[in-house]
Amino acid sequence: MLGSYNIHTDLALEDKERYESDDVEISGVSVEEFYDEEYEIRVTEVKILTENGAKAMRKPIGTYITMEMANLVQAEEEYNKAISAKIAKYVGDILKFDKEEYTALVVGLGNRNVTPDALGPHTVDCLNVTRHIVKEYGKYAMGEEACQMVSAIAPGVMAQTGMETYEIIKGIVDTVSPDVVFVIDALAARNTKRLNRTIQIADTGIHPGSGVGNHRNEISEETLGIPVVAIGVPTVVSADVIVQDTMENLISVLEDDDKYEVIQDLIAPHLYGMFVTPKDIDESIDRIGATIAEGLNLLFTHSA
């Protein structure tokens, strides 16, 4: 069944769920899950430990932390501050730096002119960029006990620049020599309930454009030579996901094997290239971008 109806997702959690629905265990993959009752956050840590696990999950070896919360966009300011603090914690945990001072480059991927793809640029807009100040006046000029040197860029997309995003980032890394790169990007999900409600943090880097089938050179420790932490939020699903969800409700009485054959037969071919986003995406991108930026700001002004 898995082979006959596969929908792309950037979330490691959803790839793991594909196998759980079939009662299949994956060798080389571990999963830990806990629930924060105070803030109603479900946190799942998926670790891909072996090449076998990477092949099955279609994701690189590494750690993927997923935060799921129902109130990410509509929540009050205090709630978002709590989410930002948790982002800072989990990013710090996955980074595992053993030094108190480091230099960071934050890259906001995506096209700011296309709202569902503008999470990266909006996050960078809200970031406290400090490299120029720290270099000129020292780290205490920011009024914090500790402040990392942070630079940032929103490189746009190839149609705007004529260059691969990797080429731009690699040139900056070679010139600025940061200790770590953080990449922020919009993702694709295979579950509509996770749109704008889920944050994935991974130490495996990212493939820009992979969520919508527009594959570019990967941005990772293997290609840049320094740690790369990816932070992403699913903002779109493919149209066939919505058809799948609807049809599953309608034909739930069928056996699983029949169900997926019927779904695939009913999906119009042109839907495979169509992606859908919620109607309140403008507000969602603004608020989520600000929340992620505040999490990084907290991380950069405290020892990791």
Side-chain angles (χ1 to χ4, degrees), residues 12 45 55 148 275 294 301:
E45 182 181 76
K55 183 177 179 181
Q148 314 303 348
F275 290 84
E294 182 58 25
T301 52

Side-chain angles (χ1 to χ4, degrees), residues 17-279:
E17 289 174 342
R18 292 188 308 113
Y19 289 93
E20 290 176 349
S21 65
D22 286 353
D23 296 322
V24 175
E25 289 293 329
I26 310 174
S27 174
V29 177
S30 69
V31 180
E32 292 187 13
E33 182 179 295
F34 64 91
Y35 186 74
D36 185 324
E37 294 185 358
E38 181 179 1
Y39 295 105
E40 299 181 327
I41 304 172
R42 186 176 304 280
V43 180
T44 306
E45 182 181 76
V46 176
K47 288 187 176 181
I48 302 177
L49 306 170
T50 66
E51 291 295 341
N52 176 74
K55 183 177 179 181
M57 292 282 288
R58 300 177 297 188
K59 298 282 188 294
I61 292 174
T63 301
Y64 303 79
I65 298 175
T66 306
M67 301 169 57
E68 299 177 83
M69 57 225 96
N71 300 318
L72 182 57
V73 176
Q74 290 81 18
E76 298 297 327
E77 184 177 353
E78 289 303 314
Y79 181 88
N80 285 93
K81 287 183 178 180
I83 298 301
S84 295
K86 291 184 179 298
I87 291 172
K89 175 188 181 305
Y90 292 128
V91 172
D93 289 346
I94 211 169
L95 186 58
K96 298 176 182 176
F97 260 178
D98 58 0
K99 49 187 175 182
E100 293 186 359
E101 296 184 10
Y102 56 88
T103 59
L105 170 64
V106 181
V107 181
L109 298 178
N111 186 344
R112 68 168 65 246
N113 297 321
V114 180
T115 306
D117 195 34
L119 176 67
H122 276 270
T123 301
V124 166
D125 289 346
C126 299
L127 197 68
N128 290 338
V129 178
T130 61
R131 181 175 179 267
H132 57 305
I133 299 175
V134 173
K135 284 178 68 68
E136 183 72 21
Y137 302 107
K139 64 181 182 179
Y140 297 107
M142 298 299 298
E144 303 286 348
E145 293 183 6
C147 183
Q148 314 303 348
M149 283 204 301
V150 180
S151 51
I153 183 175
V157 295
M158 181 179 286
Q160 298 169 324
T161 65
M163 294 177 283
E164 285 269 10
T165 303
Y166 163 77
E167 294 173 329
I168 298 172
I169 297 172
K170 178 62 174 173
I172 295 173
V173 167
D174 290 346
T175 302
V176 177
S177 300
D179 296 308
V180 58
V181 171
F182 296 87
V183 289
I184 320 297
D185 199 12
L187 308 178
R190 68 186 303 267
N191 186 328
T192 56
K193 295 180 180 178
R194 290 197 168 102
L195 290 182
N196 301 325
R197 298 178 178 179
T198 306
I199 299 174
Q200 177 176 269
I201 303 166
D203 62 2
T204 57
I206 203 163
H207 289 75
S210 63
V212 294
N214 186 20
H215 295 273
R216 300 299 183 196
N217 290 336
E218 70 176 73
I219 301 166
S220 66
E221 184 168 4
E222 286 70 26
T223 61
L224 295 181
I226 57 175
V228 177
V229 176
I231 304 173
V233 175
T235 61
V236 297
V237 294
S238 59
D240 41 321
V241 168
I242 298 175
V243 175
Q244 175 191 358
D245 291 345
T246 303
M247 293 307 302
E248 283 192 334
N249 290 331
L250 292 175
I251 61 176
S252 58
V253 295
L254 296 177
E255 295 295 329
D256 278 346
D257 289 341
D258 295 331
K259 178 190 305 183
Y260 281 84
E261 289 179 8
V262 171
I263 291 172
Q264 194 158 14
D265 289 341
L266 288 175
I267 294 177
H270 67 273
L271 290 180
Y272 287 109
M274 184 178 296
F275 290 84
V276 183
T277 194
K279 64 180 181 180

